[in-house]
Amino acid sequence: EADIYQTPRYLVIGTGKKITLECSQTMGHDKMYWYQQDPGMELHLIHYSYGVNSTEKGDLSSESTVSRIRTEHFPLTLESARPSHTSQYLCASSEYRANTEAFFGQGTRLTVV
Amino acid sequence: KQEVTQIPAALSVPEGENLVLNCSFTDSAIYNLQWFRQDPGKGLTSLLLIQSSQREQTSGRLNASLDKSSGRSTLYIAASQPGDSATYLCAVRRNSGYSTLTFGKGTMLLVSP
């Protein structure tokens, strides 16, 4: 079983609030990713990191921001939540080598009302 | 731009049947292909990873094949069980740029007792 954890699992929050979704992994992986998934749709990459102090935007434009101050921790922040941010957010990690498996957390289902 | 297509979108079979899920991708310049399982409202569980140099991988009742030149992969599930009911996703890791994963929309499988 993968050692990658996301909190909270479920979050209902009002419009305009600032939120941070947490993601931690204990595998020592250099690469970490955030994906967004709407029901019945494919996962879209919104942010990724290749190591400490490295962050890049993904294929899908997102109003969220990320930071990577420690190897094991990759939080995602929304400064002002809107109903359009309602979605499932999935965090993943993998070793630096490109030919290795990616492991996913259980996801955070965010609802903005 | 890499595009991943999964057919069928949904599949319903009686318990005990053998079944095949299909995945195709448009750009054959990949490091590897990974099959995942996703239960409703949950994260992704890695099932099989096939490197671009490999033709197939097996794990228990699961067998995945890869034909990189034609851009196709199949996931074969033998003797299906109700516990196999889930959405199955395939993802390819491109071998250029930041080598992130690109996902298909998945095949929703229902195995009835």
Side-chain angles (χ1 to χ4, degrees):
Chain A
E1 190 160 317
D3 296 320
I4 179 165
Y5 309 101
Q6 291 185 242
T7 57
R9 288 291 316 281
Y10 304 93
L11 179 62
V12 181
I13 200 163
T15 297
K17 298 290 187 183
K18 177 180 178 179
I19 57 170
T20 296
L21 308 185
E22 302 287 350
C23 177
S24 294
Q25 50 94 6
T26 59
M27 298 174 280
H29 287 168
D30 288 308
K31 292 183 181 177
M32 295 189 75
Y33 316 83
W34 277 103
Y35 286 85
Q36 185 174 340
Q37 184 183 33
D38 293 321
M41 302 298 289
E42 63 264 58
L43 279 74
H44 289 288
L45 180 68
I46 51 175
H47 296 284
Y48 58 99
S49 167
Y50 268 30
V52 171
N53 295 325
S54 150
T55 60
E56 300 286 345
K57 290 190 180 295
D59 303 322
L60 183 68
S61 175
S62 174
E63 294 167 344
S64 57
T65 59
V66 293
S67 62
R68 190 92 183 273
I69 299 172
R70 302 198 316 265
T71 298
E72 63 270 22
H73 195 212
F74 192 41
L76 180 145
T77 298
L78 279 164
E79 291 292 334
S80 180
R82 295 208 298 267
S84 61
H85 296 140
T86 295
S87 189
Q88 169 143 282
Y89 293 84
L90 292 159
C91 180
S93 73
S94 65
E95 293 180 26
Y96 192 82
R97 291 176 297 126
N99 61 348
T100 56
E101 272 182 291
F103 295 95
F104 279 77
Q106 287 295 297
T108 294
R109 181 162 296 281
L110 173 66
T111 302
V112 184
V113 298
Chain B
K1 180 189 170 193
Q2 179 73 272
E3 292 183 3
V4 180
T5 303
Q6 291 189 245
I7 295 173
L11 183 62
S12 182
V13 300
E15 181 177 7
E17 274 204 9
N18 302 324
L19 56 98
V20 174
L21 309 181
N22 297 289
C23 172
S24 61
F25 47 96
T26 54
D27 186 350
S28 62
I30 63 169
Y31 272 123
N32 53 46
L33 182 146
Q34 195 168 354
W35 281 94
F36 293 90
R37 168 189 172 133
Q38 185 175 31
D39 293 292
K42 299 285 183 66
L44 278 63
T45 300
S46 179
L47 297 174
L48 288 164
L49 173 71
I50 311 180
Q51 303 297 345
S52 61
S53 58
Q54 296 177 317
R55 297 287 291 186
E56 65 179 70
Q57 279 284 349
T58 298
S59 176
R61 294 182 294 109
L62 305 180
N63 176 277
S65 68
L66 174 64
D67 184 343
K68 196 179 80 157
S69 60
S70 67
R72 294 170 190 256
S73 176
T74 62
L75 179 66
Y76 175 83
I77 303 177
S80 58
Q81 302 170 358
D84 294 331
S85 298
T87 296
Y88 291 79
L89 298 162
C90 76
V92 295
R93 187 184 291 278
R94 57 192 181 211
N95 67 3
S96 62
Y98 288 104
S99 65
T100 53
L101 285 171
T102 302
F103 282 84
K105 291 185 180 181
T107 293
M108 188 181 301
L109 173 65
L110 176 63
V111 182
S112 51

